[in-house]
PDB file of all heavy atoms in Angstrom:
ATOM      1  N   LEU D 144       6.074   8.559  51.039  1.00 82.00           N
ATOM      2  CA  LEU D 144       7.458   8.706  50.630  1.00 82.00           C
ATOM      3  C   LEU D 144       7.935   7.544  49.718  1.00 82.00           C
ATOM      4  O   LEU D 144       8.647   7.718  48.755  1.00 82.00           O
ATOM      5  CB  LEU D 144       8.388   8.760  51.832  1.00 82.00           C
ATOM      6  CG  LEU D 144       8.187  10.044  52.651  1.00 82.00           C
ATOM      7  CD1 LEU D 144       8.930   9.866  54.026  1.00 82.00           C
ATOM      8  CD2 LEU D 144       8.618  11.263  51.935  1.00 82.00           C
ATOM      9  N   ARG D 145       7.435   6.329  49.970  1.00 83.00           N
ATOM     10  CA  ARG D 145       7.764   5.191  49.202  1.00 83.00           C
ATOM     11  C   ARG D 145       7.006   5.089  47.856  1.00 83.00           C
ATOM     12  O   ARG D 145       7.609   4.996  46.796  1.00 83.00           O
ATOM     13  CB  ARG D 145       7.558   3.914  49.991  1.00 83.00           C
ATOM     14  CG  ARG D 145       7.936   2.659  49.281  1.00 83.00           C
ATOM     15  CD  ARG D 145       8.947   1.875  50.051  1.00 83.00           C
ATOM     16  NE  ARG D 145       9.128   0.556  49.529  1.00 83.00           N
ATOM     17  CZ  ARG D 145      10.204   0.216  48.816  1.00 83.00           C
ATOM     18  NH1 ARG D 145      11.187   1.069  48.679  1.00 83.00           N
ATOM     19  NH2 ARG D 145      10.397  -0.985  48.359  1.00 83.00           N
ATOM     20  N   PHE D 146       5.735   5.153  47.961  1.00 78.00           N
ATOM     21  CA  PHE D 146       4.881   4.991  46.738  1.00 78.00           C
ATOM     22  C   PHE D 146       4.879   6.242  45.886  1.00 78.00           C
ATOM     23  O   PHE D 146       5.084   6.169  44.682  1.00 78.00           O
ATOM     24  CB  PHE D 146       3.491   4.669  47.207  1.00 78.00           C
ATOM     25  CG  PHE D 146       2.545   4.281  46.091  1.00 78.00           C
ATOM     26  CD1 PHE D 146       2.602   3.014  45.502  1.00 78.00           C
ATOM     27  CD2 PHE D 146       1.603   5.137  45.606  1.00 78.00           C
ATOM     28  CE1 PHE D 146       1.779   2.665  44.425  1.00 78.00           C
ATOM     29  CE2 PHE D 146       0.711   4.784  44.586  1.00 78.00           C
ATOM     30  CZ  PHE D 146       0.813   3.551  44.030  1.00 78.00           C
ATOM     31  N   PHE D 147       4.641   7.401  46.511  1.00 73.00           N
ATOM     32  CA  PHE D 147       4.550   8.628  45.710  1.00 73.00           C
ATOM     33  C   PHE D 147       5.923   9.350  45.558  1.00 73.00           C
ATOM     34  O   PHE D 147       6.130   9.993  44.567  1.00 73.00           O
ATOM     35  CB  PHE D 147       3.525   9.568  46.329  1.00 73.00           C
ATOM     36  CG  PHE D 147       2.141   9.062  46.303  1.00 73.00           C
ATOM     37  CD1 PHE D 147       1.511   8.629  47.436  1.00 73.00           C
ATOM     38  CD2 PHE D 147       1.426   9.041  45.162  1.00 73.00           C
ATOM     39  CE1 PHE D 147       0.206   8.128  47.388  1.00 73.00           C
ATOM     40  CE2 PHE D 147       0.163   8.638  45.055  1.00 73.00           C
ATOM     41  CZ  PHE D 147      -0.419   8.084  46.193  1.00 73.00           C
ATOM     42  N   GLY D 148       6.788   9.164  46.551  1.00 73.00           N
ATOM     43  CA  GLY D 148       8.082   9.840  46.456  1.00 73.00           C
ATOM     44  C   GLY D 148       9.201   9.028  45.923  1.00 73.00           C
ATOM     45  O   GLY D 148      10.233   9.561  45.562  1.00 73.00           O
ATOM     46  N   GLY D 149       8.950   7.689  45.754  1.00 73.00           N
ATOM     47  CA  GLY D 149       9.970   6.863  45.179  1.00 73.00           C
ATOM     48  C   GLY D 149      11.212   6.639  46.041  1.00 73.00           C
ATOM     49  O   GLY D 149      12.243   6.255  45.504  1.00 73.00           O
ATOM     50  N   MET D 150      11.086   6.894  47.300  1.00 79.00           N
ATOM     51  CA  MET D 150      12.246   6.783  48.209  1.00 79.00           C
ATOM     52  C   MET D 150      12.409   5.338  48.643  1.00 79.00           C
ATOM     53  O   MET D 150      11.466   4.559  48.706  1.00 79.00           O
ATOM     54  CB  MET D 150      12.088   7.653  49.417  1.00 79.00           C
ATOM     55  CG  MET D 150      12.096   9.155  49.106  1.00 79.00           C
ATOM     56  SD  MET D 150      11.729  10.173  50.485  1.00 79.00           S
ATOM     57  CE  MET D 150      13.345  10.254  51.225  1.00 79.00           C
ATOM     58  N   GLU D 151      13.654   4.956  48.881  1.00 84.00           N
ATOM     59  CA  GLU D 151      13.975   3.572  49.393  1.00 84.00           C
ATOM     60  C   GLU D 151      13.765   3.500  50.887  1.00 84.00           C
ATOM     61  O   GLU D 151      13.712   4.565  51.568  1.00 84.00           O
ATOM     62  CB  GLU D 151      15.443   3.208  49.035  1.00 84.00           C
ATOM     63  CG  GLU D 151      15.653   3.138  47.533  1.00 84.00           C
ATOM     64  CD  GLU D 151      14.835   2.084  46.858  1.00 84.00           C
ATOM     65  OE1 GLU D 151      14.646   1.010  47.430  1.00 84.00           O
ATOM     66  OE2 GLU D 151      14.430   2.320  45.656  1.00 84.00           O
ATOM     67  N   ILE D 152      13.715   2.288  51.414  1.00 90.00           N
ATOM     68  CA  ILE D 152      13.454   2.046  52.847  1.00 90.00           C
ATOM     69  C   ILE D 152      14.482   2.799  53.700  1.00 90.00           C
ATOM     70  O   ILE D 152      14.107   3.471  54.667  1.00 90.00           O
ATOM     71  CB  ILE D 152      13.507   0.577  53.194  1.00 90.00           C
ATOM     72  CG1 ILE D 152      12.383  -0.211  52.471  1.00 90.00           C
ATOM     73  CG2 ILE D 152      13.481   0.302  54.689  1.00 90.00           C
ATOM     74  CD1 ILE D 152      11.028   0.058  52.951  1.00 90.00           C
ATOM     75  N   GLU D 153      15.758   2.746  53.334  1.00 89.00           N
ATOM     76  CA  GLU D 153      16.790   3.379  54.143  1.00 89.00           C
ATOM     77  C   GLU D 153      16.719   4.908  54.145  1.00 89.00           C
ATOM     78  O   GLU D 153      16.864   5.543  55.134  1.00 89.00           O
ATOM     79  CB  GLU D 153      18.232   2.967  53.648  1.00 89.00           C
ATOM     80  CG  GLU D 153      18.516   1.524  53.895  1.00 89.00           C
ATOM     81  CD  GLU D 153      17.797   0.510  52.958  1.00 89.00           C
ATOM     82  OE1 GLU D 153      17.363   0.943  51.857  1.00 89.00           O
ATOM     83  OE2 GLU D 153      17.660  -0.643  53.331  1.00 89.00           O
ATOM     84  N   GLU D 154      16.318   5.434  52.967  1.00 84.00           N
ATOM     85  CA  GLU D 154      16.144   6.914  52.870  1.00 84.00           C
ATOM     86  C   GLU D 154      14.928   7.328  53.734  1.00 84.00           C
ATOM     87  O   GLU D 154      15.050   8.368  54.418  1.00 84.00           O
ATOM     88  CB  GLU D 154      15.834   7.330  51.402  1.00 84.00           C
ATOM     89  CG  GLU D 154      17.000   7.249  50.474  1.00 84.00           C
ATOM     90  CD  GLU D 154      16.581   7.615  49.087  1.00 84.00           C
ATOM     91  OE1 GLU D 154      15.741   6.930  48.489  1.00 84.00           O
ATOM     92  OE2 GLU D 154      17.114   8.663  48.598  1.00 84.00           O
ATOM     93  N   ILE D 155      13.859   6.560  53.708  1.00 88.00           N
ATOM     94  CA  ILE D 155      12.723   6.901  54.554  1.00 88.00           C
ATOM     95  C   ILE D 155      13.043   6.815  56.023  1.00 88.00           C
ATOM     96  O   ILE D 155      12.672   7.693  56.789  1.00 88.00           O
ATOM     97  CB  ILE D 155      11.521   5.936  54.165  1.00 88.00           C
ATOM     98  CG1 ILE D 155      11.112   6.148  52.765  1.00 88.00           C
ATOM     99  CG2 ILE D 155      10.368   6.205  55.147  1.00 88.00           C
ATOM    100  CD1 ILE D 155      10.144   5.092  52.252  1.00 88.00           C
ATOM    101  N   ALA D 156      13.793   5.817  56.362  1.00 89.00           N
ATOM    102  CA  ALA D 156      14.208   5.644  57.806  1.00 89.00           C
ATOM    103  C   ALA D 156      15.019   6.889  58.258  1.00 89.00           C
ATOM    104  O   ALA D 156      14.795   7.393  59.345  1.00 89.00           O
ATOM    105  CB  ALA D 156      15.015   4.326  57.949  1.00 89.00           C
ATOM    106  N   THR D 157      15.944   7.273  57.442  1.00 86.00           N
ATOM    107  CA  THR D 157      16.739   8.497  57.797  1.00 86.00           C
ATOM    108  C   THR D 157      15.828   9.727  57.774  1.00 86.00           C
ATOM    109  O   THR D 157      15.910  10.529  58.785  1.00 86.00           O
ATOM    110  CB  THR D 157      17.828   8.749  56.684  1.00 86.00           C
ATOM    111  OG1 THR D 157      18.700   7.589  56.680  1.00 86.00           O
ATOM    112  CG2 THR D 157      18.631   9.994  56.993  1.00 86.00           C
ATOM    113  N   PHE D 158      14.927   9.842  56.886  1.00 82.00           N
ATOM    114  CA  PHE D 158      14.056  11.012  56.793  1.00 82.00           C
ATOM    115  C   PHE D 158      13.146  11.070  58.018  1.00 82.00           C
ATOM    116  O   PHE D 158      12.891  12.117  58.601  1.00 82.00           O
ATOM    117  CB  PHE D 158      13.238  10.959  55.533  1.00 82.00           C
ATOM    118  CG  PHE D 158      12.253  12.012  55.434  1.00 82.00           C
ATOM    119  CD1 PHE D 158      12.650  13.320  55.134  1.00 82.00           C
ATOM    120  CD2 PHE D 158      10.890  11.761  55.470  1.00 82.00           C
ATOM    121  CE1 PHE D 158      11.711  14.346  55.004  1.00 82.00           C
ATOM    122  CE2 PHE D 158       9.938  12.807  55.347  1.00 82.00           C
ATOM    123  CZ  PHE D 158      10.389  14.080  55.100  1.00 82.00           C
ATOM    124  N   LEU D 159      12.581   9.877  58.447  1.00 85.00           N
ATOM    125  CA  LEU D 159      11.670   9.857  59.570  1.00 85.00           C
ATOM    126  C   LEU D 159      12.397   9.640  60.932  1.00 85.00           C
ATOM    127  O   LEU D 159      11.722   9.537  61.925  1.00 85.00           O
ATOM    128  CB  LEU D 159      10.638   8.723  59.343  1.00 85.00           C
ATOM    129  CG  LEU D 159       9.676   8.936  58.182  1.00 85.00           C
ATOM    130  CD1 LEU D 159       8.759   7.723  58.055  1.00 85.00           C
ATOM    131  CD2 LEU D 159       8.895  10.206  58.299  1.00 85.00           C
ATOM    132  N   ASP D 160      13.718   9.513  60.893  1.00 88.00           N
ATOM    133  CA  ASP D 160      14.525   9.334  62.047  1.00 88.00           C
ATOM    134  C   ASP D 160      14.073   8.115  62.831  1.00 88.00           C
ATOM    135  O   ASP D 160      13.732   8.163  64.026  1.00 88.00           O
ATOM    136  CB  ASP D 160      14.456  10.593  62.941  1.00 88.00           C
ATOM    137  CG  ASP D 160      15.554  10.606  64.023  1.00 88.00           C
ATOM    138  OD1 ASP D 160      16.592   9.963  63.727  1.00 88.00           O
ATOM    139  OD2 ASP D 160      15.397  11.170  65.072  1.00 88.00           O
ATOM    140  N   THR D 161      13.990   7.024  62.108  1.00 92.00           N
ATOM    141  CA  THR D 161      13.632   5.739  62.710  1.00 92.00           C
ATOM    142  C   THR D 161      14.474   4.644  62.034  1.00 92.00           C
ATOM    143  O   THR D 161      15.299   4.910  61.177  1.00 92.00           O
ATOM    144  CB  THR D 161      12.094   5.465  62.543  1.00 92.00           C
ATOM    145  OG1 THR D 161      11.740   4.361  63.301  1.00 92.00           O
ATOM    146  CG2 THR D 161      11.677   5.291  61.149  1.00 92.00           C
ATOM    147  N   SER D 162      14.241   3.381  62.392  1.00 95.00           N
ATOM    148  CA  SER D 162      15.024   2.299  61.893  1.00 95.00           C
ATOM    149  C   SER D 162      14.397   1.791  60.547  1.00 95.00           C
ATOM    150  O   SER D 162      13.199   1.869  60.382  1.00 95.00           O
ATOM    151  CB  SER D 162      15.152   1.130  62.925  1.00 95.00           C
ATOM    152  OG  SER D 162      13.882   0.527  62.981  1.00 95.00           O
ATOM    153  N   PRO D 163      15.262   1.163  59.678  1.00 94.00           N
ATOM    154  CA  PRO D 163      14.711   0.548  58.509  1.00 94.00           C
ATOM    155  C   PRO D 163      13.709  -0.561  58.848  1.00 94.00           C
ATOM    156  O   PRO D 163      12.699  -0.719  58.101  1.00 94.00           O
ATOM    157  CB  PRO D 163      15.948  -0.094  57.811  1.00 94.00           C
ATOM    158  CG  PRO D 163      17.074   0.830  58.266  1.00 94.00           C
ATOM    159  CD  PRO D 163      16.692   1.173  59.676  1.00 94.00           C
ATOM    160  N   ALA D 164      13.912  -1.272  59.904  1.00 96.00           N
ATOM    161  CA  ALA D 164      12.955  -2.327  60.329  1.00 96.00           C
ATOM    162  C   ALA D 164      11.599  -1.716  60.686  1.00 96.00           C
ATOM    163  O   ALA D 164      10.546  -2.311  60.297  1.00 96.00           O
ATOM    164  CB  ALA D 164      13.494  -3.113  61.536  1.00 96.00           C
ATOM    165  N   THR D 165      11.539  -0.618  61.276  1.00 96.00           N
ATOM    166  CA  THR D 165      10.284   0.081  61.605  1.00 96.00           C
ATOM    167  C   THR D 165       9.590   0.483  60.353  1.00 96.00           C
ATOM    168  O   THR D 165       8.397   0.350  60.158  1.00 96.00           O
ATOM    169  CB  THR D 165      10.499   1.279  62.529  1.00 96.00           C
ATOM    170  OG1 THR D 165      11.072   0.769  63.751  1.00 96.00           O
ATOM    171  CG2 THR D 165       9.258   1.990  62.823  1.00 96.00           C
ATOM    172  N   VAL D 166      10.396   1.031  59.384  1.00 95.00           N
ATOM    173  CA  VAL D 166       9.870   1.471  58.150  1.00 95.00           C
ATOM    174  C   VAL D 166       9.249   0.279  57.329  1.00 95.00           C
ATOM    175  O   VAL D 166       8.136   0.343  56.841  1.00 95.00           O
ATOM    176  CB  VAL D 166      10.901   2.188  57.269  1.00 95.00           C
ATOM    177  CG1 VAL D 166      10.362   2.451  55.880  1.00 95.00           C
ATOM    178  CG2 VAL D 166      11.278   3.468  57.888  1.00 95.00           C
ATOM    179  N   LYS D 167       9.905  -0.865  57.374  1.00 95.00           N
ATOM    180  CA  LYS D 167       9.435  -2.069  56.718  1.00 95.00           C
ATOM    181  C   LYS D 167       8.102  -2.492  57.330  1.00 95.00           C
ATOM    182  O   LYS D 167       7.159  -2.882  56.666  1.00 95.00           O
ATOM    183  CB  LYS D 167      10.434  -3.197  56.750  1.00 95.00           C
ATOM    184  CG  LYS D 167      11.588  -2.982  55.876  1.00 95.00           C
ATOM    185  CD  LYS D 167      12.613  -4.104  55.989  1.00 95.00           C
ATOM    186  CE  LYS D 167      13.891  -3.820  55.226  1.00 95.00           C
ATOM    187  NZ  LYS D 167      14.912  -4.831  55.411  1.00 95.00           N
ATOM    188  N   ARG D 168       8.014  -2.487  58.691  1.00 95.00           N
ATOM    189  CA  ARG D 168       6.820  -2.853  59.394  1.00 95.00           C
ATOM    190  C   ARG D 168       5.661  -1.936  59.025  1.00 95.00           C
ATOM    191  O   ARG D 168       4.559  -2.380  58.766  1.00 95.00           O
ATOM    192  CB  ARG D 168       7.013  -2.924  60.930  1.00 95.00           C
ATOM    193  CG  ARG D 168       7.653  -4.140  61.387  1.00 95.00           C
ATOM    194  CD  ARG D 168       7.615  -4.274  62.917  1.00 95.00           C
ATOM    195  NE  ARG D 168       8.167  -3.103  63.643  1.00 95.00           N
ATOM    196  CZ  ARG D 168       9.494  -3.012  63.928  1.00 95.00           C
ATOM    197  NH1 ARG D 168      10.331  -4.018  63.617  1.00 95.00           N
ATOM    198  NH2 ARG D 168       9.941  -1.939  64.540  1.00 95.00           N
ATOM    199  N   ASP D 169       5.964  -0.632  58.992  1.00 95.00           N
ATOM    200  CA  ASP D 169       4.933   0.370  58.646  1.00 95.00           C
ATOM    201  C   ASP D 169       4.467   0.170  57.231  1.00 95.00           C
ATOM    202  O   ASP D 169       3.251   0.284  56.955  1.00 95.00           O
ATOM    203  CB  ASP D 169       5.415   1.834  58.912  1.00 95.00           C
ATOM    204  CG  ASP D 169       5.458   2.172  60.370  1.00 95.00           C
ATOM    205  OD1 ASP D 169       4.826   1.478  61.169  1.00 95.00           O
ATOM    206  OD2 ASP D 169       6.174   3.163  60.647  1.00 95.00           O
ATOM    207  N   TRP D 170       5.367  -0.115  56.308  1.00 94.00           N
ATOM    208  CA  TRP D 170       5.083  -0.294  54.903  1.00 94.00           C
ATOM    209  C   TRP D 170       4.193  -1.516  54.761  1.00 94.00           C
ATOM    210  O   TRP D 170       3.147  -1.497  54.045  1.00 94.00           O
ATOM    211  CB  TRP D 170       6.385  -0.486  54.104  1.00 94.00           C
ATOM    212  CG  TRP D 170       6.232  -0.821  52.686  1.00 94.00           C
ATOM    213  CD1 TRP D 170       6.704  -1.941  52.042  1.00 94.00           C
ATOM    214  CD2 TRP D 170       5.633  -0.072  51.627  1.00 94.00           C
ATOM    215  NE1 TRP D 170       6.428  -1.886  50.688  1.00 94.00           N
ATOM    216  CE2 TRP D 170       5.782  -0.766  50.407  1.00 94.00           C
ATOM    217  CE3 TRP D 170       4.918   1.178  51.645  1.00 94.00           C
ATOM    218  CZ2 TRP D 170       5.285  -0.273  49.232  1.00 94.00           C
ATOM    219  CZ3 TRP D 170       4.431   1.674  50.408  1.00 94.00           C
ATOM    220  CH2 TRP D 170       4.617   0.942  49.258  1.00 94.00           C
ATOM    221  N   THR D 171       4.484  -2.580  55.441  1.00 93.00           N
ATOM    222  CA  THR D 171       3.647  -3.865  55.345  1.00 93.00           C
ATOM    223  C   THR D 171       2.288  -3.601  55.990  1.00 93.00           C
ATOM    224  O   THR D 171       1.249  -3.970  55.381  1.00 93.00           O
ATOM    225  CB  THR D 171       4.357  -4.987  56.154  1.00 93.00           C
ATOM    226  OG1 THR D 171       5.647  -5.223  55.504  1.00 93.00           O
ATOM    227  CG2 THR D 171       3.542  -6.248  56.101  1.00 93.00           C
ATOM    228  N   LYS D 172       2.239  -2.929  57.156  1.00 94.00           N
ATOM    229  CA  LYS D 172       0.968  -2.668  57.829  1.00 94.00           C
ATOM    230  C   LYS D 172       0.118  -1.712  56.945  1.00 94.00           C
ATOM    231  O   LYS D 172      -1.124  -1.939  56.796  1.00 94.00           O
ATOM    232  CB  LYS D 172       1.308  -1.934  59.163  1.00 94.00           C
ATOM    233  CG  LYS D 172       0.083  -1.524  59.937  1.00 94.00           C
ATOM    234  CD  LYS D 172       0.443  -0.941  61.274  1.00 94.00           C
ATOM    235  CE  LYS D 172       1.580   0.008  61.280  1.00 94.00           C
ATOM    236  NZ  LYS D 172       1.828   0.721  62.578  1.00 94.00           N
ATOM    237  N   ALA D 173       0.713  -0.754  56.334  1.00 92.00           N
ATOM    238  CA  ALA D 173      -0.062   0.214  55.485  1.00 92.00           C
ATOM    239  C   ALA D 173      -0.603  -0.491  54.228  1.00 92.00           C
ATOM    240  O   ALA D 173      -1.752  -0.258  53.887  1.00 92.00           O
ATOM    241  CB  ALA D 173       0.811   1.406  55.070  1.00 92.00           C
ATOM    242  N   ARG D 174       0.206  -1.306  53.626  1.00 91.00           N
ATOM    243  CA  ARG D 174      -0.253  -2.040  52.449  1.00 91.00           C
ATOM    244  C   ARG D 174      -1.401  -3.009  52.794  1.00 91.00           C
ATOM    245  O   ARG D 174      -2.399  -3.086  52.006  1.00 91.00           O
ATOM    246  CB  ARG D 174       0.894  -2.839  51.832  1.00 91.00           C
ATOM    247  CG  ARG D 174       1.851  -1.898  51.076  1.00 91.00           C
ATOM    248  CD  ARG D 174       3.022  -2.594  50.413  1.00 91.00           C
ATOM    249  NE  ARG D 174       2.905  -3.990  50.122  1.00 91.00           N
ATOM    250  CZ  ARG D 174       3.836  -4.856  50.407  1.00 91.00           C
ATOM    251  NH1 ARG D 174       4.994  -4.507  50.945  1.00 91.00           N
ATOM    252  NH2 ARG D 174       3.689  -6.172  50.105  1.00 91.00           N
ATOM    253  N   MET D 175      -1.306  -3.644  53.922  1.00 92.00           N
ATOM    254  CA  MET D 175      -2.405  -4.567  54.383  1.00 92.00           C
ATOM    255  C   MET D 175      -3.679  -3.758  54.611  1.00 92.00           C
ATOM    256  O   MET D 175      -4.771  -4.130  54.243  1.00 92.00           O
ATOM    257  CB  MET D 175      -2.003  -5.399  55.557  1.00 92.00           C
ATOM    258  CG  MET D 175      -0.948  -6.377  55.299  1.00 92.00           C
ATOM    259  SD  MET D 175      -0.296  -7.265  56.737  1.00 92.00           S
ATOM    260  CE  MET D 175      -1.809  -7.928  57.400  1.00 92.00           C
ATOM    261  N   PHE D 176      -3.541  -2.627  55.337  1.00 92.00           N
ATOM    262  CA  PHE D 176      -4.695  -1.755  55.553  1.00 92.00           C
ATOM    263  C   PHE D 176      -5.336  -1.287  54.262  1.00 92.00           C
ATOM    264  O   PHE D 176      -6.566  -1.399  54.177  1.00 92.00           O
ATOM    265  CB  PHE D 176      -4.197  -0.533  56.403  1.00 92.00           C
ATOM    266  CG  PHE D 176      -5.268   0.527  56.615  1.00 92.00           C
ATOM    267  CD1 PHE D 176      -6.218   0.424  57.581  1.00 92.00           C
ATOM    268  CD2 PHE D 176      -5.323   1.632  55.751  1.00 92.00           C
ATOM    269  CE1 PHE D 176      -7.197   1.390  57.769  1.00 92.00           C
ATOM    270  CE2 PHE D 176      -6.303   2.611  55.908  1.00 92.00           C
ATOM    271  CZ  PHE D 176      -7.272   2.456  56.914  1.00 92.00           C
ATOM    272  N   LEU D 177      -4.524  -0.814  53.339  1.00 89.00           N
ATOM    273  CA  LEU D 177      -5.089  -0.316  52.099  1.00 89.00           C
ATOM    274  C   LEU D 177      -5.727  -1.393  51.254  1.00 89.00           C
ATOM    275  O   LEU D 177      -6.818  -1.230  50.657  1.00 89.00           O
ATOM    276  CB  LEU D 177      -4.019   0.385  51.295  1.00 89.00           C
ATOM    277  CG  LEU D 177      -3.565   1.725  51.852  1.00 89.00           C
ATOM    278  CD1 LEU D 177      -2.317   2.231  51.149  1.00 89.00           C
ATOM    279  CD2 LEU D 177      -4.659   2.777  51.835  1.00 89.00           C
ATOM    280  N   ARG D 178      -5.122  -2.628  51.232  1.00 88.00           N
ATOM    281  CA  ARG D 178      -5.696  -3.727  50.512  1.00 88.00           C
ATOM    282  C   ARG D 178      -7.066  -4.077  51.061  1.00 88.00           C
ATOM    283  O   ARG D 178      -8.026  -4.275  50.350  1.00 88.00           O
ATOM    284  CB  ARG D 178      -4.844  -4.992  50.567  1.00 88.00           C
ATOM    285  CG  ARG D 178      -3.678  -4.923  49.591  1.00 88.00           C
ATOM    286  CD  ARG D 178      -2.875  -6.134  49.652  1.00 88.00           C
ATOM    287  NE  ARG D 178      -1.767  -6.034  48.742  1.00 88.00           N
ATOM    288  CZ  ARG D 178      -0.589  -6.662  48.933  1.00 88.00           C
ATOM    289  NH1 ARG D 178      -0.440  -7.438  49.975  1.00 88.00           N
ATOM    290  NH2 ARG D 178       0.404  -6.549  48.083  1.00 88.00           N
ATOM    291  N   HIS D 179      -7.106  -4.123  52.416  1.00 88.00           N
ATOM    292  CA  HIS D 179      -8.372  -4.486  53.102  1.00 88.00           C
ATOM    293  C   HIS D 179      -9.452  -3.445  52.792  1.00 88.00           C
ATOM    294  O   HIS D 179     -10.565  -3.756  52.412  1.00 88.00           O
ATOM    295  CB  HIS D 179      -8.148  -4.618  54.594  1.00 88.00           C
ATOM    296  CG  HIS D 179      -9.407  -4.810  55.357  1.00 88.00           C
ATOM    297  ND1 HIS D 179     -10.102  -6.002  55.361  1.00 88.00           N
ATOM    298  CD2 HIS D 179     -10.117  -3.981  56.158  1.00 88.00           C
ATOM    299  CE1 HIS D 179     -11.189  -5.906  56.143  1.00 88.00           C
ATOM    300  NE2 HIS D 179     -11.219  -4.698  56.633  1.00 88.00           N
ATOM    301  N   ARG D 180      -9.054  -2.178  52.878  1.00 86.00           N
ATOM    302  CA  ARG D 180     -10.086  -1.086  52.767  1.00 86.00           C
ATOM    303  C   ARG D 180     -10.506  -0.966  51.276  1.00 86.00           C
ATOM    304  O   ARG D 180     -11.723  -0.803  50.997  1.00 86.00           O
ATOM    305  CB  ARG D 180      -9.495   0.262  53.239  1.00 86.00           C
ATOM    306  CG  ARG D 180      -9.231   0.303  54.737  1.00 86.00           C
ATOM    307  CD  ARG D 180     -10.452   0.332  55.550  1.00 86.00           C
ATOM    308  NE  ARG D 180     -11.228   1.539  55.328  1.00 86.00           N
ATOM    309  CZ  ARG D 180     -11.321   2.560  56.210  1.00 86.00           C
ATOM    310  NH1 ARG D 180     -10.660   2.525  57.324  1.00 86.00           N
ATOM    311  NH2 ARG D 180     -12.020   3.579  55.895  1.00 86.00           N
ATOM    312  N   LEU D 181      -9.569  -1.151  50.358  1.00 83.00           N
ATOM    313  CA  LEU D 181      -9.921  -1.082  48.942  1.00 83.00           C
ATOM    314  C   LEU D 181     -10.762  -2.264  48.526  1.00 83.00           C
ATOM    315  O   LEU D 181     -11.611  -2.148  47.675  1.00 83.00           O
ATOM    316  CB  LEU D 181      -8.665  -0.912  48.090  1.00 83.00           C
ATOM    317  CG  LEU D 181      -7.966   0.428  48.307  1.00 83.00           C
ATOM    318  CD1 LEU D 181      -6.590   0.395  47.566  1.00 83.00           C
ATOM    319  CD2 LEU D 181      -8.788   1.630  47.819  1.00 83.00           C
TER     320      LEU D 181
END
Side-chain angles (χ1 to χ4, degrees):
L144 295 169
R145 180 124 170 105
F146 187 76
F147 294 105
M150 295 174 82
E151 297 297 325
I152 297 290
E153 292 75 20
E154 289 179 296
I155 297 168
T157 300
F158 178 70
L159 296 177
D160 194 27
T161 190
S162 72
T165 299
V166 172
K167 287 178 187 176
R168 280 191 303 274
D169 285 342
W170 175 240
T171 300
K172 177 176 46 172
R174 287 182 17 227
M175 289 174 59
F176 172 84
L177 290 170
R178 281 183 183 151
H179 175 72
R180 294 292 292 256
L181 293 172

